[in-house]
């Protein structure tokens, strides 16, 4: 292979030990080029430099042993409907059994007389209480290797005893037809013969300044660490080698974000010059005074609006902190200057709600507002009529779903886009706006508070404000966990609340029962509650009810014509009925943590004390128990979001695909939060100095590859 060749263009079949058959198998693992292979990291490491004798094993610890197979058979337990494959291994000091449950096909992998390695948790035999066993151990077949004890060396390639034993060995995800052992051999050759060909796109001063090792050293260390490596750090993915590779990935991510952000700063936008009269009037009409936090954040927004570049700001704030009014103030400023605003939310129900909540205030200011959703036709006004009013500039504020922008609505002069309750309105969607030639100021609001460093990734291209205080009259919602046995208590609590003149939500996980699950459903619940509380007015709302009908139902709830509203998660975000003070969540074990917090945010929106009753049905798993426990303990959205992130992991949490951020394959933004800050600092300062990366063509190329298809970089460079 030529020196300095780009390894991402270098097909894997040129590597020693890789023929056409293996090319196919490797491609199943996503490995097509030498570079893919180098970045196919072990998911686990095993210390085989110092294998234990079976007779020296300790119960309950994870151990690795090696020995000869003396029997391999399937045991049937017909009464339990079980087939167990049992492998018995002897290492001269004792016997150990590996057991695989209902995987009879395992038998064909083993033969008596083979040398094997097994790794797993050591257990006693459950009946005898003695002996050594492992359930579903990781295994490897050592063909005819002769064990040569001694120091591991990294010189002679192809010598099995140096690759697969007597060292800390990497364990890779394998695929049928290609064993861990074969992959390890391929990797060994790859590292041994080609590591010198790796070119490092990242300027040396950057990784050196952050105390990280060189790239080739890191790649070789991450696959074949030497014997004295810290195996625990390797297994957690935080060895120096891992840190270097994670840093690279985060650095590429932040470079892209820095470019997007920088691009926006240079872009021309509207510098609004309000005289402040409308704003003053609005503040006068409001039935409350703003919190300090709302004022601070609004002033940041106002600063952005006055600047001649497009605003791109994210407002984070827990449910109920009062984001809507801040958005309304921004829209008033923009309207005063003669521009239009689009207020976009994730669902039609929410669009209707918002329209509903703000239209009288907006109209009192002398402004025109309209609701434009998929079902607008049914609201007595035709879509076409509205569209032409929007195009002529007659309407100042348009409320709708996120589809507003995609649907090709023509605006006279769109000055501001507010995106509410959507942490998934990603880089891509924002880029789409600009592609349409619109360059409005953009305000994104989210009630899923996330820790600052993480916000800097997902929203790394945005400025960032936090409303970190609730209106002063709020009292924390008290949250109680019940099992289904406590029906009487629950019914009594509902009755008391409604008698006080308050209203109640009852949330179900599904609309209608089905044969597939035995979950309780909203329709079922509505009937039951109607029967039980015959003198209360019970309503029902869910996603299959037509928008027009839903709007009527929400309106009656708001006007206190319904006492108890049975619903699904359609009410999850944004719905605002301050007189509702009790929420019952049925099958609470079924909901995600952020979702539960959002739902709970529908109560506690006034000075009345509110409660949230979580009703759970056994059996449920450990994660569900943790979620319920956190909900009972905490009302703090930041803390809850962090726990949610811990339970679910970042990919799930952010819905990475929708956010438009390239997938992270090595780094983990929770585990590597401090690396992320370093990478961000370096990336932003580099882009400041050298916006087109003219001084590092290699880096520029690597960056384009990393963000490929995601975002147009260097448009003007
Ligand atoms: P969120 O931030 O969850 O979107 P909203 O904007 O829906 O919250 O506000 C929640 C409720 O609090 C609304 O009824 C709103 O009118 C009210 N509210 C907003 N700001 C204040 C304030 N400063 N004082 C009292 N109530 C407020
Ligand atoms: Mg809101």
């Amino acid at each position: 292979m030529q020196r300095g060749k780009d390894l991402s263009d270098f097909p894997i079949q040129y590597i020693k030990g890789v023929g056409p058959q293996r090319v196919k198998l490797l491609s199943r693992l996503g490995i097509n080029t030498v570079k893919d292979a180098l970045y196919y990291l072990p998911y686990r490491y095993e210390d085989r430099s110092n294998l234990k004798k079976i007779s020296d094993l300790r119960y309950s610890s994870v151990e690795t042993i090696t020995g000869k197979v003396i029997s391999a058979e399937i045991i049937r337990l017909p009464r339990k409907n079980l087939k167990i494959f049992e492998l018995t291994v002897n290492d001269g000091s004792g016997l150990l059994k590996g057991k695989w449950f209902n995987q009879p096909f395992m038998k064909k992998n083993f033969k008596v007389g083979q040398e094997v390695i097994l790794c797993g948790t050591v257990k006693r035999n459950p009946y005898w209480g003695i002996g050594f066993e492992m359930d579903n151990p990781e295994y490897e077949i050592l063909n005819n290797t002769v064990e040569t004890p001694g120091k591991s060396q990294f010189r002679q390639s192809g010598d099995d005893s140096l690759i697969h034993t007597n060292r800390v060995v990497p364990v890779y995800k394998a695929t049928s037809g290609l064993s861990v052992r074969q992959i390890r051999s391929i990797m060994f050759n790859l590292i041994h013969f080609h590591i010198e060909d790796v070119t490092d796109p990242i300027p040396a001063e950057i990784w050196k300044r952050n105390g990280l090792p060189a790239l080739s050293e890191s790649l070789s260390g991450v696959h074949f660490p030497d014997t004295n490596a810290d195996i625990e750090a390797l297994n957690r993915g935080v060895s120096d080698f891992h840190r270097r590779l994670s840093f690279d990935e985060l650095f590429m991510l932040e470079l892209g974000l820095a470019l997007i952000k920088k691009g926006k700063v240079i872009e021309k936008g509207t510098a609004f010059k309000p005289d402040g009269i409308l704003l003053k009037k609005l503040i006068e009409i409001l039935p409350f005074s703003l919190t300090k936090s709302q004022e601070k954040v609004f002033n940041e927004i106002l600063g952005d609006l006055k600047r001649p570049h497009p605003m791109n700001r994210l407002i984070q704030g827990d449910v109920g902190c009062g984001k809507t009014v801040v958005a309304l103030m921004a829209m008033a400023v923009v309207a005063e200057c003669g521009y239009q605003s689009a207020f976009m939310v994730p669902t039609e129900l929410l669009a209707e709600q918002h329209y509903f909540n703000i239209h009288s205030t907006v109209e009192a200011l002398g402004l025109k507002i309209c609701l434009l959703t998929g079902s607008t036709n049914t609201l007595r006004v035709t879509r076409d009529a509205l569209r032409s009013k929007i195009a002529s500039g007659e309407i100042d504020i348009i409320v709708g779903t996120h589809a507003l922008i995609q649907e090709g609505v023509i605006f006279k002069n769109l000055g501001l886009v507010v995106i509410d309750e959507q942490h998934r309105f990603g880089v891509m969607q924002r880029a789409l706006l600009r592609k349409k030639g619109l360059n409005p100021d953009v305000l994104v609001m989210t009630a899923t508070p996330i820790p600052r460093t993480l916000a800097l990734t997902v929203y790394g291209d945005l400025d960032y404000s936090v409303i970190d205080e609730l209106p002063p009259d709020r009292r924390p919602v008290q949250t109680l966990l019940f099992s289904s046995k406590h029906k009487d208590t629950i019914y009594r609590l509902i009755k008391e609340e409604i008698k006080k003149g308050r209203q109640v939500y009852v949330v179900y996980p599904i609309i209608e029962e089905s044969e597939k699950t035995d979950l309780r459903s909203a329709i079922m619940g509505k009937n039951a509650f109607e029967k039980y509380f015959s003198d209360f007015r019970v309503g029902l709302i869910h996603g299959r009810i037509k928008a027009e009908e839903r709007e009527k139902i929400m309106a009656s709830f708001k006007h206190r014509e319904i006492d108890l509203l049975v619903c699904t998660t359609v009410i999850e975000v944004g719905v605002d009925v301050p007189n509702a003070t009790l929420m019952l969540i049925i099958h609470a074990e079924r909901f995600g943590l952020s979702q539960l917090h959002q739902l709970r945010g529908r109560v506690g929106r006034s000075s009345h004390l509110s409660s949230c009753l979580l009703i759970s049905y056994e059996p449920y798993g450990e994660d569900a128990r943790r979620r319920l426990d956190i909900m009972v303990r905490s009302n703090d959205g930041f803390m809850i979001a962090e726990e949610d992130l811990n339970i679910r992991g970042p990919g799930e949490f952010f819905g990475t695909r929708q956010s438009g951020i390239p997938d992270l394959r090595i780094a983990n933004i929770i585990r590597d939060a401090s690396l992320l800050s370093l990478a961000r600092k370096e990336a932003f300062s580099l882009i400041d100095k050298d916006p087109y990366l003219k001084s590092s063509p290699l880096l520029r190329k690597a960056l384009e590859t990393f963000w490929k298809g995601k975002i147009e970089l260097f448009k003007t460079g």
Side-chain angles (χ1 to χ4, degrees):
M1 184 153 49
Q2 267 174 285
R3 294 283 176 248
K5 189 158 175 49
D6 186 350
L7 296 178
S8 55
D9 295 337
F10 206 84
I12 191 73
Q13 67 248 38
Y14 295 126
I15 300 305
K16 190 172 165 230
V18 181
Q21 183 57 26
R22 289 208 171 157
V23 166
K24 260 191 234 147
L25 294 169
L26 285 167
S27 138
R28 248 198 252 153
L29 298 171
I31 302 175
N32 299 305
T33 67
V34 169
K35 187 170 177 207
D36 295 338
L38 285 172
Y39 283 86
Y40 191 75
L41 302 193
Y43 72 97
R44 199 167 67 73
Y45 298 82
E46 243 172 62
D47 189 354
R48 297 185 186 167
S49 60
N50 200 350
L51 295 182
K52 275 230 176 91
K53 283 199 223 152
I54 292 179
S55 58
D56 292 343
L57 292 178
R58 282 197 332 241
Y59 290 119
S60 307
S61 61
V62 177
E63 309 268 18
T64 308
I65 60 107
T66 177
K68 203 172 239 138
V69 174
I70 58 170
S71 83
E73 44 195 85
I74 294 169
I75 315 280
R76 278 164 225 272
L77 297 178
R79 250 185 291 152
K80 287 193 175 165
N81 196 19
L82 256 186
K83 275 185 201 153
I84 305 176
F85 170 61
E86 275 193 10
L87 185 75
T88 311
V89 171
N90 182 353
D91 75 344
S93 82
L95 302 185
L96 181 140
K97 267 195 175 129
K99 288 187 173 178
W100 284 265
F101 298 87
N102 281 337
Q103 301 172 52
F105 50 85
M106 288 295 294
K107 182 173 160 61
K108 68 176 190 320
N109 297 337
F110 297 95
K111 279 193 203 74
V112 171
Q114 273 170 338
E115 287 284 336
V116 295
I117 286 189
L118 299 182
C119 171
T121 307
V122 182
K123 297 175 45 175
R124 303 167 199 275
N125 179 290
Y127 300 109
W128 316 122
I130 50 166
F132 297 104
E133 299 193 350
M134 291 176 177
D135 289 348
N136 296 308
E138 301 260 353
Y139 68 93
E140 198 170 311
I141 295 159
L142 291 177
N143 296 335
N144 302 310
T145 312
V146 184
E147 297 294 312
T148 43
K151 229 179 137 236
S152 97
Q153 269 171 2
F154 196 43
R155 219 168 285 138
Q156 217 177 333
S157 135
D159 182 345
D160 272 7
S161 71
L162 296 180
I163 303 177
H164 304 290
T165 52
N166 298 320
R167 57 158 43 253
V168 173
V169 294
V171 182
Y172 299 91
K173 286 249 153 52
T175 178
S176 77
L178 195 61
S179 67
V180 183
R181 190 181 175 80
Q182 288 163 327
I183 297 177
R184 190 182 299 126
S185 296
I186 294 170
M187 291 297 187
F188 192 86
N189 282 330
L190 193 68
I191 299 282
H192 193 74
F193 291 115
H194 300 290
I195 196 69
E196 300 298 321
D197 299 320
V198 171
T199 44
D200 185 352
I202 299 189
E205 57 186 72
I206 292 183
W207 52 264
K208 284 188 179 154
R209 184 160 48 230
N210 291 285
L212 297 164
L215 182 58
S216 53
E217 188 190 333
S218 304
L219 284 168
S220 121
V222 90
H223 288 284
F224 293 94
D226 48 35
T227 329
N228 52 16
D230 176 349
I231 190 152
E232 192 261 347
L234 285 166
N235 272 325
R236 284 200 301 125
V238 296
S239 69
D240 282 349
F241 313 128
H242 283 96
R243 280 169 49 81
R244 166 68 210 260
L245 302 180
S246 298
F247 176 87
D248 288 8
E249 203 171 30
L250 296 168
F251 183 65
M252 291 298 172
L253 177 71
E254 291 294 340
L255 270 183
L257 294 170
L259 280 167
I260 298 170
K261 184 159 177 181
K262 187 124 191 120
K264 280 179 184 163
V265 173
I266 324 174
E267 263 166 47
K268 266 177 75 84
T270 314
F272 297 101
K273 297 193 179 66
D275 50 27
I277 294 170
L278 263 190
L279 189 62
K280 220 173 134 218
K281 203 165 155 195
L282 171 59
I283 290 171
E284 275 167 21
I285 319 178
L286 289 178
F288 46 74
S289 44
L290 297 172
T291 62
K292 282 237 156 54
S293 229
Q294 283 170 319
E295 268 173 17
K296 180 194 75 181
V297 168
F298 176 70
N299 282 328
E300 287 165 357
I301 295 171
L302 191 60
D304 289 348
L305 290 172
K306 289 177 174 170
R307 237 164 266 140
H309 308 296
M311 162 168 72
N312 280 285
R313 187 170 287 277
L314 170 74
I315 312 293
Q316 274 201 23
D318 209 346
V319 278
C321 70
K323 292 183 289 291
T324 315
V325 68
V326 173
L328 195 56
M329 288 160 71
M331 294 191 286
V333 167
V334 168
E336 183 174 85
C337 301
Y339 284 83
Q340 294 168 300
S341 300
F343 192 167
M344 307 200 295
V345 296
T347 65
E348 292 209 347
L349 180 70
L350 204 53
E352 292 150 22
Q353 277 278 306
H354 269 307
Y355 172 75
F356 212 55
N357 286 342
I358 63 178
H359 83 270
S360 53
T361 311
V362 169
E363 279 157 10
L365 297 176
L367 299 176
K368 284 252 165 57
I369 181 169
C370 80
L371 174 67
L372 191 67
T373 64
S375 40
T376 292
N377 266 336
T378 60
L379 299 176
R380 290 175 305 279
V381 221
T382 67
R383 286 169 71 77
D384 290 346
L386 279 181
R387 278 167 177 259
S388 67
K389 283 185 180 171
I390 295 169
S392 71
E394 197 180 314
I395 292 177
D396 305 291
I397 296 174
I398 299 96
V399 182
T401 64
H402 295 147
L404 255 191
I405 294 297
Q406 270 119 51
E407 276 176 359
V409 176
I410 297 165
F411 298 90
K412 172 142 185 268
N413 51 7
L414 184 63
L416 172 65
V417 172
V418 179
I419 296 146
D420 191 21
E421 301 293 5
Q422 182 58 304
H423 54 289
R424 293 201 209 92
F425 193 87
V427 174
M428 295 313 290
Q429 285 88 335
R430 293 192 290 271
L432 182 73
L433 262 179
R434 270 181 299 138
K435 235 195 191 144
K436 300 183 84 165
L438 295 166
N439 226 359
D441 285 21
V442 174
L443 193 60
V444 181
M445 307 199 292
T446 173
T448 306
I450 53 177
R452 192 180 159 79
T453 40
L454 304 190
L456 292 180
T457 325
V458 215
Y459 308 117
D461 61 320
L462 298 174
D463 293 308
Y464 171 83
S465 306
V466 189
I467 303 184
D468 52 9
E469 127 188 64
L470 293 178
D473 60 350
R474 298 301 152 77
R475 297 152 76 181
V477 177
Q478 52 168 321
T479 303
L480 302 168
L481 179 61
F482 288 98
S483 81
S484 51
K485 279 180 246 142
H486 300 95
K487 257 198 187 117
D488 292 340
T489 317
I490 295 163
Y491 282 175
R492 184 172 49 74
L493 290 171
I494 294 178
K495 202 172 237 163
E496 281 169 10
E497 204 64 17
I498 296 179
K499 286 250 166 78
K500 274 190 265 174
R502 303 280 96 77
Q503 290 159 283
V504 177
Y505 292 104
V506 184
V507 187
Y508 282 86
I510 53 171
I511 299 175
E512 206 168 4
E513 59 265 50
S514 86
E515 282 166 14
K516 287 198 208 94
T517 72
D518 46 9
L519 297 183
R520 282 136 197 94
S521 72
I523 292 180
M524 213 161 112
K526 153 125 197 296
N527 295 335
F529 281 108
E530 248 170 358
K531 230 181 253 157
Y532 195 88
F533 296 120
S534 50
D535 41 350
F536 294 150
R537 296 158 302 175
V538 177
L540 173 68
I541 192 164
H542 55 70
R544 287 219 307 263
I545 293 177
K546 282 220 184 91
E548 185 189 9
E549 189 60 26
R550 278 201 317 240
E551 197 202 1
K552 280 195 198 131
I553 298 166
M554 278 322 290
S556 346
F557 191 57
K558 186 136 195 160
H559 296 140
R560 301 194 190 183
E561 293 153 14
I562 291 174
D563 301 305
L564 186 151
L565 184 61
V566 174
C567 55
T568 59
T569 52
V570 289
I571 58 134
E572 181 182 338
V573 285
V575 168
D576 183 35
V577 180
N579 189 52
T581 51
L582 178 64
M583 172 172 284
L584 215 63
I585 304 181
I586 312 288
H587 281 298
E589 79 282 358
R590 286 298 178 127
F591 294 86
L593 197 44
S594 297
Q595 203 174 24
L596 286 171
H597 182 62
Q598 281 293 323
L599 284 168
R600 180 171 59 183
R602 298 315 105 212
V603 293
R605 300 173 81 82
S606 67
S607 56
H608 302 297
L609 184 61
S610 293
S611 330
C612 176
L613 314 182
L614 305 173
I615 322 290
S616 63
Y617 292 83
E618 302 270 4
Y620 48 81
E622 181 55 19
D623 278 359
R625 201 193 53 73
R626 255 171 90 190
R627 293 195 296 266
L628 296 172
D629 182 51
I630 293 161
M631 283 299 290
V632 170
R633 272 197 345 252
S634 176
N635 264 294
D636 175 351
F638 275 91
M639 186 262 186
I640 288 174
E642 203 155 345
E643 289 289 344
D644 198 16
L645 205 67
N646 282 332
I647 296 175
R648 287 201 283 162
E652 269 278 303
F653 183 87
F654 292 120
T656 325
R657 220 161 291 129
Q658 280 131 309
S659 75
I661 305 271
D663 285 337
L664 296 177
R665 299 200 303 172
I666 301 172
N668 170 320
I669 48 181
I670 304 175
R671 182 191 64 200
D672 302 321
S674 64
L675 270 183
L676 175 64
S677 317
L678 296 178
R680 182 172 175 86
K681 215 172 100 214
E682 291 290 354
F684 275 70
S685 93
L686 181 61
I687 294 297
D688 266 348
K689 275 187 291 199
D690 182 6
Y692 300 114
L693 298 179
K694 290 211 166 94
S695 62
S696 345
L698 266 180
L699 179 59
R700 185 176 156 140
K701 179 144 190 286
L703 184 63
E704 279 166 359
T705 313
F706 184 79
W707 281 83
K708 198 190 222 137
K710 300 278 185 186
I711 198 95
E712 240 182 293
L713 293 174
F714 306 112
K715 256 188 314 202
T716 46

